[in-house]
Amino acid sequence: MCVRSRFIHRCFLSLFADLFLMRLWCIFTPKDSIVRRQSISFTEPNDEWLKSQVDNKEYSSKSELVNDLIRQARNQQQQIDLIRLKLDRAEKSGFTSDSKSDILKQAKKLMNG
């Protein structure tokens, strides 16, 4: 992910609460590939930020920007869910009696094929 995308994503997440983000996701997720038109309200600072992104030619419209931010948030949530799943599996697998050097050797072996 490029620096600009990370910056935009961080700004978006700081502007909107997680609950509102989920609400937007529900509103803007197309059903049966039909794009649905919605009306949403933004605070003045958030609206100014959206306008600045469009004015800077980063996006062609606020809708495009909001949809991109939602896609990024959905992708991030998928990554978080995958990490949580891996952590749960690791915790359930129990503890090892292998030494640090043994674990490192095993990891290097897996990485090198």
Side-chain angles (χ1 to χ4, degrees):
M1 183 183 292
C2 70
V3 173
R4 184 180 78 217
S5 295
R6 280 184 281 194
F7 171 76
I8 291 170
H9 189 194
R10 273 190 245 123
C11 289
F12 178 77
L13 290 178
S14 68
L15 296 174
F16 299 101
D18 289 342
L19 183 59
F20 185 67
L21 181 63
M22 291 306 296
R23 180 69 181 136
L24 282 177
W25 180 80
C26 292
I27 290 170
F28 287 103
T29 300
K31 306 290 185 227
D32 301 320
S33 300
I34 298 172
V35 177
R36 297 179 186 238
R37 188 174 188 91
Q38 300 290 325
S39 175
I40 58 174
S41 300
F42 295 105
T43 62
E44 187 174 336
N46 293 345
D47 189 49
E48 290 300 320
W49 182 82
L50 290 168
K51 284 180 186 176
S52 73
Q53 298 303 307
V54 174
D55 291 345
N56 290 334
K57 307 288 189 222
E58 297 294 327
Y59 295 90
S60 62
S61 68
K62 288 187 212 177
S63 293
E64 180 186 355
L65 172 56
V66 170
N67 278 309
D68 187 45
L69 294 169
I70 291 170
R71 273 190 294 276
Q72 289 178 38
R74 290 171 61 193
N75 287 337
Q76 182 184 29
Q77 187 60 52
Q78 287 177 341
Q79 291 173 351
I80 290 169
D81 292 344
L82 179 61
I83 291 168
R84 282 188 180 137
L85 177 66
K86 289 181 177 184
L87 286 172
D88 287 343
R89 285 182 184 166
E91 286 176 353
K92 289 177 183 174
S93 70
F95 294 96
T96 182
S97 59
D98 294 346
S99 69
K100 291 179 188 178
S101 61
D102 290 339
I103 294 171
L104 183 59
K105 286 177 191 175
Q106 291 172 19
K108 286 181 179 180
K109 184 178 178 182
L110 287 172
M111 289 177 64
N112 294 328

